[in-house]
Amino acid sequence: MVTQSKPCRIGVMGGTFDPIHYGHLVTAEVVRGEFDIDLVLFVPSGVPPHKDPRQVSSKEHRYLMTVFATLTNPFFEVSRVDIDREGETYTIDTLRDLRKLYGDEAELFFITGADAIAEIMDWKNAAELVKLAEFVAATRPGYQFDRKLQEWFEQHGKKLHLLQVPAMAISSTDIRRRVQAQKSIRYFVPEAVEHYIRKNSLYLEHHTHSTADNNEISS
Ligand code: NAP
């Protein structure tokens, strides 16, 4: 249970979450246990710089699905830092904002997918970024990292933590395709998320969603 005092070890679960699924939730729970984390903050991206905005659902849809998915876990919370910041979402800004909120004594563990972390050398202010947190990459079993990536972390005095999570066989891309093809997504996402997707007619058409937040929301 999260106590009233400020959490010291904070997992920062960054992702587009379009939609959030059980692979993400299992990853966060496993990392929480492995790294003795007090609180996992799910941080849905506002405007991912590496994606075509027409192919991403509105940030409020993604935020609300994340809230519904995490509601029953007392160690999980959802942060709006990336959703509410103007402009494109860069992890350097996420970690700086969270550092301001939680103070210098907090230890941050940035958790995301291995395919995303594999590009970290090209992220904005990468050399500063790597010093602001520990980085945990969730991989599907059998995933092999480029040795260059580990070496890059070592050059900055850090280690990239790898965690194999079988549930990461579930993917947001596959879920969107399944909805479009009118296939079941039961047991891929929490029930509330499935209802939310159906009620708001998400993922029925290709490339029609937008981060512009002009979609009407039913919840
Ligand atoms: P992505 O390119 O959509 O995802 C790459 C892979 O990682 C996918 O297989 C994805 O699976 C998986 N993944 C994404 N988030 C995950 C999570 N929290 N836990 C486990 N697997 C996850 O990546 P993204 O979601 O847009 O971005 C991931 C994070 O990296 C975000 O916080 C984003 O802001 C940050 N990022 C920062 C920069 C930058 O600062 N320049 C650039 C890129 C990304 P699913 O599709 O199933 O989620």
Side-chain angles (χ1 to χ4, degrees):
M1 188 76 183
V2 179
T3 55
Q4 291 303 315
S5 58
K6 274 197 173 185
C8 292
R9 292 169 72 83
I10 302 171
V12 180
M13 182 75 174
T16 303
F17 303 132
D18 192 19
I20 188 161
H21 53 67
Y22 278 122
H24 300 128
L25 295 168
V26 170
T27 298
E29 187 65 4
V30 171
V31 174
R32 184 176 77 75
E34 294 286 318
F35 292 86
D36 201 14
I37 280 171
D38 300 315
L39 168 72
V40 180
L41 273 180
F42 284 70
V43 190
S45 284
V47 182
H50 56 305
K51 292 188 177 176
D52 177 347
R54 290 167 303 175
Q55 295 189 23
V56 182
S57 301
S58 88
K59 48 190 179 182
E60 293 302 338
H61 280 323
R62 293 182 288 106
Y63 170 75
L64 281 174
M65 287 191 281
T66 308
V67 169
F68 292 140
T70 52
L71 214 55
T72 54
N73 188 324
F75 297 99
F76 289 178
E77 285 180 15
V78 186
S79 166
R80 289 188 61 95
V81 283
D82 284 354
I83 296 282
D84 289 341
R85 193 181 316 103
E86 292 284 315
E88 295 185 318
T89 302
Y90 296 105
T91 301
I92 184 79
D93 300 321
T94 314
L95 294 182
R96 281 177 183 157
D97 286 354
L98 293 177
R99 174 69 62 207
K100 269 187 227 147
L101 274 173
Y102 290 97
D104 285 340
E105 62 283 3
E107 280 181 73
L108 303 180
F109 295 78
F110 186 78
I111 311 157
T112 197
D115 290 341
I117 294 239
E119 308 290 320
I120 194 171
M121 291 179 264
D122 298 323
W123 290 6
K124 187 175 167 190
N125 296 17
E128 181 192 343
L129 174 66
V130 73
K131 297 199 186 321
L132 294 184
E134 291 300 309
F135 284 79
V136 184
T139 73
R140 294 168 177 97
Y143 186 99
Q144 287 292 326
F145 264 118
D146 190 345
R147 180 73 207 131
K148 267 199 242 153
L149 185 66
Q150 281 291 9
E151 283 168 6
W152 183 83
F153 272 87
E154 283 160 20
Q155 279 160 19
H156 291 86
K158 299 296 280 248
K159 177 177 184 291
L160 173 59
H161 305 277
L162 305 178
L163 205 77
Q164 296 203 347
V165 183
M168 279 307 297
I170 301 175
S171 87
S172 300
T173 306
D174 181 46
I175 291 168
R176 294 194 301 272
R177 285 193 190 127
R178 292 182 70 87
V179 174
Q180 205 194 1
Q182 304 190 354
K183 291 184 178 168
S184 170
I185 55 164
R186 182 174 284 183
Y187 312 127
F188 287 61
V189 297
E191 229 177 306
V193 173
E194 182 180 356
H195 288 309
Y196 188 92
I197 290 170
R198 304 287 183 210
K199 205 161 181 182
N200 289 282
S201 307
L202 301 185
Y203 314 127
L204 290 179
E205 289 168 45
H206 208 47
H207 302 182
T208 54
H209 305 297
S210 135
T211 44
D213 277 323
N214 51 4
N215 307 14
E216 281 188 16
I217 293 174
S218 312
S219 58

PDB file of all heavy atoms in Angstrom, residues 37 130 197 207:
ATOM      1  N   ILE A  37      10.035  -1.212  -5.764  1.00  0.00           N
ATOM      2  CA  ILE A  37       9.530   0.125  -6.092  1.00  0.00           C
ATOM      3  C   ILE A  37       8.296   0.462  -5.235  1.00  0.00           C
ATOM      4  O   ILE A  37       7.449  -0.385  -4.980  1.00  0.00           O
ATOM      5  CB  ILE A  37       9.257   0.179  -7.617  1.00  0.00           C
ATOM      6  CG1 ILE A  37      10.597   0.414  -8.316  1.00  0.00           C
ATOM      7  CG2 ILE A  37       8.227   1.229  -7.995  1.00  0.00           C
ATOM      8  CD1 ILE A  37      10.567   0.282  -9.795  1.00  0.00           C
ATOM      9  N   VAL A 130      20.208   9.953 -19.514  1.00  0.00           N
ATOM     10  CA  VAL A 130      20.626   8.664 -18.959  1.00  0.00           C
ATOM     11  C   VAL A 130      21.058   8.788 -17.486  1.00  0.00           C
ATOM     12  O   VAL A 130      21.027   7.822 -16.731  1.00  0.00           O
ATOM     13  CB  VAL A 130      21.723   8.026 -19.853  1.00  0.00           C
ATOM     14  CG1 VAL A 130      23.041   8.742 -19.713  1.00  0.00           C
ATOM     15  CG2 VAL A 130      21.857   6.546 -19.599  1.00  0.00           C
ATOM     16  N   ILE A 197     -13.138   1.055 -25.282  1.00  0.00           N
ATOM     17  CA  ILE A 197     -12.816   0.997 -26.727  1.00  0.00           C
ATOM     18  C   ILE A 197     -14.106   0.851 -27.537  1.00  0.00           C
ATOM     19  O   ILE A 197     -14.327   1.570 -28.515  1.00  0.00           O
ATOM     20  CB  ILE A 197     -11.837  -0.172 -27.008  1.00  0.00           C
ATOM     21  CG1 ILE A 197     -10.463   0.134 -26.422  1.00  0.00           C
ATOM     22  CG2 ILE A 197     -11.729  -0.450 -28.517  1.00  0.00           C
ATOM     23  CD1 ILE A 197      -9.488  -1.046 -26.425  1.00  0.00           C
ATOM     24  N   HIS A 207      -6.233   4.856 -39.336  1.00  0.00           N
ATOM     25  CA  HIS A 207      -5.664   6.211 -39.413  1.00  0.00           C
ATOM     26  C   HIS A 207      -6.674   7.330 -39.218  1.00  0.00           C
ATOM     27  O   HIS A 207      -6.538   8.397 -39.801  1.00  0.00           O
ATOM     28  CB  HIS A 207      -4.982   6.468 -40.776  1.00  0.00           C
ATOM     29  CG  HIS A 207      -3.895   5.516 -41.076  1.00  0.00           C
ATOM     30  ND1 HIS A 207      -3.152   5.601 -42.208  1.00  0.00           N
ATOM     31  CD2 HIS A 207      -3.414   4.456 -40.390  1.00  0.00           C
ATOM     32  CE1 HIS A 207      -2.262   4.618 -42.222  1.00  0.00           C
ATOM     33  NE2 HIS A 207      -2.413   3.918 -41.118  1.00  0.00           N
TER      34      HIS A 207
END
